[in-house]
Amino acid sequence: FFLFSALAGQLTDKYDKALLIRYVKLLEIVIMVLGAVCFYFHQVWGLMLLLFLMGAQSALFGPVKYSIIPQHLQPGELVGGNALVESGTFVAILLGTIAANIASQMEQGPLVLGILVIVFAVIGWMASLKIPDGPAPDPGLKVRYNIFRESWHTVQFSRENKSVFLAIMGISWFWFLGASYLTQIYNYAKVDLHGAQTVATSLLATFSIGIALGSLLCERFSGHKIELGLVPLGSIGLSIFGMDLYFHTQPASGEELVGLGAFLSEPHSYRVLLDFLLIGMFGGFYIVPLYAMVQERSEEHHRARIIASINILNALFM
């Protein structure tokens, strides 16, 4: 993300966005086929390289995904469109995590995982064929390939509009916090709650459902317009329920990790789950209006490069 977002922003402003998405999804199929081979033959270094390539592919996808939304939606539909993107993203993360956990425990786990990643990549490419055209806003743009210089220029470019840059910084702070939660969920479940893998998955599920719910509620609460008042409300909720989670967590006892059933038999467990749900929900309130604001207040001919600067700063914060 850090290396290739600036290039992705330039390409998205220069070429038709729907066509770019189809090429990016074709690239994903190639990467996943190679990934399936590495899974089957247990080639860990190959998988690490392909994980890097998936990051690069996602960096190419990010600017086009967000910059095509304003081309097809009216200003009053931006919040709803972004809500669907954010909720869909976190539901996909949740389903992918659960599917991976199930597949990895099968006797033919590597083979099953290899087949699944190829199937989902093909489904993604087939879906991309239905995307309506997104004409290039700046077809005369000269693409510069010095990734380090252009990354710096892209971030500086986003600073020209102060309100947009502040929104970008707010988005990056969210991903800084979100990455902290997502990377610590498994450790928190095991060390603090003394829970097995199923407990960690339930926390991730609750967190993801909360973000999806908060994102979808944004459109209803905002009255189909960009309501920045939801942003401070979201940050307050993130703070309150994050602190409640800290103060309410009770030290685990016993040697053996408990399963989901035993975890749910404890009354205090439901407050932990409620905290994760509300942290996610207020996170949705926080993030959706900011993305919609960046899209609305960015000039069309360089909107993708503005969104690329979000990816660069997000990667740095995470």
Side-chain angles (χ1 to χ4, degrees):
F1 270 102
F2 192 78
L3 291 176
F4 300 116
S5 288
L7 176 61
Q10 295 178 80
L11 293 174
T12 303
D13 280 334
K14 183 176 177 63
Y15 298 108
D16 184 283
K17 294 178 178 61
L19 190 63
L20 268 177
I21 291 175
R22 291 175 194 128
Y23 282 131
V24 169
K25 300 309 283 186
L26 277 174
L27 176 60
E28 184 176 307
I29 294 175
V30 174
I31 294 171
M32 289 307 182
V33 169
L34 294 173
V37 173
C38 290
F39 268 129
Y40 187 75
F41 291 105
H42 301 280
Q43 295 297 314
V44 177
W45 285 106
L47 287 170
M48 294 295 286
L49 173 63
L50 291 167
L51 188 62
F52 173 81
L53 292 178
M54 273 304 299
Q57 185 260 353
S58 297
L60 293 172
F61 188 57
V64 64
K65 174 177 72 172
Y66 282 108
S67 63
I68 198 173
I69 293 175
Q71 282 190 273
H72 294 302
L73 299 182
Q74 299 298 320
E77 299 173 320
L78 281 180
V79 173
N82 281 279
L84 288 173
V85 169
E86 294 303 317
S87 58
T89 297
F90 278 90
V91 169
I93 290 171
L94 169 61
L95 295 177
T97 303
I98 293 172
N101 285 332
I102 294 171
S104 64
Q105 294 169 18
M106 295 179 178
E107 187 176 346
Q108 295 293 325
L111 178 62
V112 174
L113 286 169
I115 293 171
L116 283 176
V117 294
I118 294 174
V119 168
F120 284 118
V122 171
I123 291 172
W125 173 74
M126 291 172 65
S128 73
L129 299 178
K130 299 290 186 179
I131 297 174
D133 293 340
D138 191 4
L141 175 69
K142 181 180 179 182
V143 178
R144 297 179 176 85
Y145 293 94
N146 186 323
I147 55 179
F148 298 105
R149 181 184 297 170
E150 288 310 307
S151 294
W152 175 254
H153 284 169
T154 300
V155 173
Q156 293 301 311
F157 196 62
S158 67
R159 296 183 65 183
E160 293 179 2
N161 186 320
K162 185 178 179 181
S163 62
V164 168
F165 184 70
L166 289 174
I168 291 172
M169 294 300 290
I171 291 169
S172 295
W173 176 85
F174 172 82
W175 284 108
F176 165 77
L177 184 65
S180 303
Y181 275 109
L182 289 173
T183 55
Q184 289 302 313
I185 278 179
Y186 293 95
N187 196 47
Y188 171 74
K190 183 177 180 181
V191 176
D192 294 287
L193 302 179
H194 224 63
Q197 178 73 29
T198 52
V199 175
T201 303
S202 71
L203 297 180
L204 177 64
T206 306
F207 183 73
S208 302
I209 291 168
I211 289 187
L213 181 63
S215 299
L216 294 174
L217 284 174
C218 266
E219 184 177 26
R220 178 178 292 273
F221 291 161
S222 64
H224 301 282
K225 63 180 185 294
I226 298 173
E227 180 52 74
L228 294 178
L230 289 172
V231 177
L233 176 64
S235 65
I236 290 168
L238 284 168
S239 304
I240 290 173
F241 294 106
M243 288 188 290
D244 185 69
L245 183 67
Y246 171 78
F247 287 114
H248 180 68
T249 300
Q250 299 179 7
S253 59
E255 294 295 326
E256 190 174 345
L257 298 179
V258 300
L260 181 59
F263 172 70
L264 293 176
S265 67
E266 297 290 336
H268 73 273
S269 301
Y270 292 94
R271 187 163 166 183
V272 171
L273 289 171
L274 181 63
D275 281 334
F276 270 98
L277 179 72
L278 292 173
I279 288 168
M281 190 175 78
F282 280 95
F285 291 165
Y286 178 88
I287 194 68
V288 169
L290 290 176
Y291 269 115
M293 174 187 166
V294 170
Q295 292 164 344
E296 183 189 49
R297 300 191 185 183
S298 300
E299 294 291 336
E300 184 179 359
H301 70 278
H302 58 241
R303 183 180 289 132
R305 279 168 284 176
I306 296 292
I307 294 169
S309 72
I310 296 178
N311 285 349
I312 293 169
L313 290 169
N314 282 356
L316 184 62
F317 274 61
M318 285 192 282

